[in-house]
Amino acid sequence: MNRAEFDRSLEKLSPTQRKVLKLFLSGTSDNGIKDELGCTDTSNIRKHISNICKKFGLVNDVGEHYC
């Protein structure tokens, strides 16, 4: 992915997804992100991360569970 593609993908993120991405990339745990956003369930965080991955065109390899 080049810079222009990255920028286009980043523009597609909602403000909440941008915050989740920033916290995730800084090493914040799912629970930490949940608390920061005021969510009640970490499954919401996983859904945000999955949607972020889709917008960047990221997919899991067999046996991986990141996105």
Side-chain angles (χ1 to χ4, degrees), residues 28-36 42 45:
T28 305
S29 68
D30 288 0
N31 279 327
I33 297 171
K34 174 185 71 84
D35 294 342
E36 183 74 26
T42 56
I45 304 307

Side-chain angles (χ1 to χ4, degrees), residues 32-67:
I33 297 171
K34 174 185 71 84
D35 294 342
E36 183 74 26
L37 297 179
C39 294
T40 58
D41 189 355
T42 56
S43 68
N44 292 334
I45 304 307
R46 286 281 109 200
K47 288 177 189 172
H48 279 301
I49 292 171
S50 177
N51 289 331
I52 291 165
C53 288
K54 288 176 188 174
K55 288 184 180 179
F56 279 92
L58 302 173
V59 295
N60 292 321
D61 285 336
V62 175
E64 292 182 332
H65 303 290
Y66 302 111
C67 295

